[in-house]
Every structure is written in structure tokens, then in C-alpha cells.
Amino acid sequence: MSSTTNARHCKAAALALALCLAAAPCHAGTQSRESTNMNAARTASETLSLRQQSIIPIAALAAAGDIVRLNTALEQGLDAGLAINDAKEILVQVYAYAGFPRSLNALGELMKVMDARKQRGVQDKQGQLPSRPIPKGDALLAAGTANQTKLANGPVKGALFDFAPAIDEYLKTHLFGDMFERDNLDWPSRELATVGMLSVLPGAESQLQSHMRISMNVGITAPQLDQLTQVLADRVDAGAAHRAREALARQRARAPGATQAGVTAAAPQPADGSCGRSSSEESCRHEK
């Protein structure tokens, strides 16, 4: 009996050891997968997708009026997964920062690119249209005011808007109302486009810094903005990249590790009503 019992005990111990050894690699594998997923998520937050990268030169070159290079940027954007309607939204938005002529010329170039791609047998995805009607009248003003407040992380007001209330209304009803209510292009994409546009406009450094801050407010990370400046250097020009890097550095120095809530306008106020600082003077002060 004693010999049989001992044999049984030995078998049980061996089985337990085998199960333990088998479970250990499985547990390690689970930990490894979790670690990989965490690292992937962290990497995603530090890099722009190819689609996001393609938005930057399209917006910048359209705002600069560089139609020849815009043609190439549009081809690359569509190849990177940008939908036709995404490209349309970006180029329509150009007029708010660079004027109707450059927006219209850029849209005309998009039509040429689409025709050329169809002739080559390329089938680009059309993309989404806005999911809801754009409000009108007082409802549009309310929607635009709410969007501006969300983007700026606080209400935007001040002496400049008291001095010229029409521009305040246009910003709220049209830029932040008519445009930002169009939800077929998300806000991070619109901000990447806006930063690209402002980077090619000398004299818009204050607004450029403002949109570095707003970009962070809508979820674009500082490493992604660093990457944006490199995309400008590689695919637009050194001047645009330099302006973007300086604006990002000023914003980091002004609010290290945090976004800022609420702005109050003073002269000169950035054209889009957001807060920024030019190289010589403060353009607005924050409400805490």
C-alpha cells in the first residue's frame, strides 16, 4: 500500500509540474501581447498616419498657390487613402486662410488629378458627406460658438471683437459654424490642414502658434506636431518648417505639458479668434 501510495504521489507531482511549466509560457505570451499592444498604442500617439501626413502638404501647397507641386501632393494623398471628399473639404477650407482664388485654383487642380487617375483606371474612394444638415440663423451662431469654445478649450472674447463685432460673427457662424459643423472631416484633420496652411503664410505666426495649441486640444500630440514640421521640411519648404517649429517651441514654452483654457482677445487678435503670441507682442490673454 505504501509503495502504491508513493507512486501515486510521484505521478501527481509530475503532472502538477508539467501543468505549471505549460502554463508559464502561456502567461508570458499573454504579457508579451499586452506589452506589444501598449507599445503599438503609444507609437500610434507619437506618429501621424500616412493619410494624416498627406493632408499637410496638400493644405500648405494649396495655400501657397503652388499648383504644380499640389498636383503631386494630391496624387500622393489619394494613394495614401485620402478620400476624394476629404481632399475637397481641405481645399474648401483653404479659402478661410488663404482666400477664394487659391481655394478655387486648388479645387480645379483636384478635378484634373481625378480625371487623370480615372483615365489610368484608378478607382479612388469617394468618402463621406456631412451626416447632418448645417444649422441656419441663430442655431448656426450657437453651433459655431460652441465649436469655437471646444477648440479653444474656453470662450473666446475681447476688445477686438467689441471693436469689430462683424468679424466675431463671421468667425462663429461661418468658420466654426458652416465649416466645422461639416463632420465628414474630423477636427484633428482640419487642424493638421490649418497648421499646414498657416505655416506657408509669413506674418501669420501668431495664428500658427494658436493652432499648435488648438491641435493639442483636439488630440494631436506634441510628437505628432514635431513630425508635422518634418513633413513640411521634406515636402513643402524650409521656411514653412522653420515657422512651424518656432511656433511649436513658443507654445511649448508658454504652456509646457498642458493646454490652456479660455482666451480673451486683445489687439492684435489672431484672425480666427484663437490665442497666440507673435514675436513682438502678445495677441491675447488667457482666462484661468
Side-chain angles (χ1 to χ4, degrees), residues 53-136:
Q53 291 179 50
S54 74
I55 290 172
I56 300 160
I58 288 173
L61 295 169
D66 191 339
I67 296 299
V68 173
R69 295 172 66 203
L70 174 62
N71 183 291
T72 300
L74 288 167
E75 288 273 6
Q76 292 172 340
L78 293 171
D79 287 341
L82 201 66
I84 292 170
N85 285 342
D86 294 340
K88 287 182 185 178
E89 289 292 324
I90 294 163
L91 299 181
V92 168
Q93 188 174 318
V94 165
Y95 99 82
Y97 297 94
F100 272 112
R102 292 196 170 169
S103 176
L104 293 169
N105 291 343
L107 287 164
E109 193 63 24
L110 175 59
M111 292 174 67
K112 294 178 183 177
V113 168
M114 289 169 54
D115 287 342
R117 290 171 70 86
K118 286 179 182 177
Q119 291 177 10
R120 300 198 307 267
V122 179
Q123 294 184 345
D124 294 304
K125 59 183 179 181
Q126 189 66 36
Q128 300 296 316
L129 293 172
S131 66
R132 59 182 183 269
I134 305 303
K136 303 294 181 184

Side-chain angles (χ1 to χ4, degrees), residues 182-243:
R182 295 176 64 84
D183 60 359
N184 54 329
L185 188 66
D186 59 69
W187 285 5
S189 295
R190 288 194 183 278
E191 281 306 307
L192 290 172
T194 299
V195 170
M197 296 172 206
L198 292 172
S199 295
V200 300
L201 302 178
E205 287 80 6
S206 179
Q207 288 85 356
L208 179 56
Q209 182 186 335
S210 298
H211 281 277
M212 290 295 184
R213 177 176 59 84
I214 292 173
S215 294
M216 294 180 184
N217 288 348
V218 299
I220 300 172
T221 65
Q224 287 174 326
L225 290 173
D226 282 326
Q227 187 181 7
L228 176 150
T229 67
Q230 189 58 49
V231 172
L232 287 169
D234 294 340
R235 299 173 62 180
V236 181
D237 63 46
H242 177 72
R243 282 186 286 273

